[in-house]
Amino acid sequence: MKRFFDRIAKKALDPRQPSVVICALGDSVTQGVMEHRWLDPSATYLRRLQIALEEFFPTTTFNTLNAGVSGDQVTGGLERLDRDMIRHQPDLVLLAFGLNDCLKGISNTGEFGKTLTKIVGRLQNETEADIVLVTPPFMATRAGSRVHPEHSPFAGDIARCQNDGTLAAYAEIIRQVSSREKLALADVHAEWKRLQKAAVDTDLWLSNGLNHPDARGHQLPATVIFHALLSGREQPKA
């Protein structure tokens, strides 16, 4: 996290420095889709993370760029990497995929990992950004009454991927890429797993009853990412 925190320090010392730029590349959760045809950008984990950073570093200005696209997969993220990430030369990049990718099944995990690694490689070669990989939240374990009729045809597939371990397998691929590439990891999926083990009905944390976290479900990754950032901060020398 050296680049990110160096930029925070420089901006704090010199207000004429450019703002610290954070880009999030992901799917509908990153974009802020809550329910059918309803977005709430102010409630997203990215916006909540920005608020947390502004409170912790009150003399630094942060700009966040939301590059979430509803329905997108990691292949789409790679295709729009130049437009949505590289041209902005961010100081920090959050990569959050897996929810839509997992609907391709366990057999696609290898390609998912390869494509995610390609994104990481391009960011490392063409920007100076620090990178955080973010594992996905849970999806619904059952098709409930809150599911919009237009989403009913794939509600069963979503519940299956959640229940049979397919989504968990994609989260594990993200962990592996993080370990192999020595990148920071915000393991949001593990936190949802802890909720489940504590007998929390995680389906009630989904605003659309399927795969879009509610306000609590966005605050959780914001907190996990925030702590992942701070844990990668170099301690000042005595």
Side-chain angles (χ1 to χ4, degrees), residues 1 4-5 48-49 52-53 56-57 92 94 132 184-187 191 219-233 235:
M1 289 299 140
F4 182 58
F5 288 109
R48 290 165 183 258
L49 175 64
L53 289 167
F56 199 83
F57 300 101
L92 178 70
L94 310 176
V132 179
L185 175 70
D187 201 345
E191 296 303 319
Q219 183 58 55
L220 181 61
T223 301
V224 174
I225 295 167
F226 180 72
H227 285 291
L229 293 173
L230 291 187
S231 67
R233 187 184 185 190
Q235 297 298 316

Side-chain angles (χ1 to χ4, degrees), residues 201-224:
D201 186 350
T202 53
D203 282 37
L204 299 180
W205 281 45
L206 299 170
S207 62
N208 68 343
L210 276 180
N211 55 2
H212 294 160
D214 61 14
R216 297 167 296 179
H218 276 276
Q219 183 58 55
L220 181 61
T223 301
V224 174

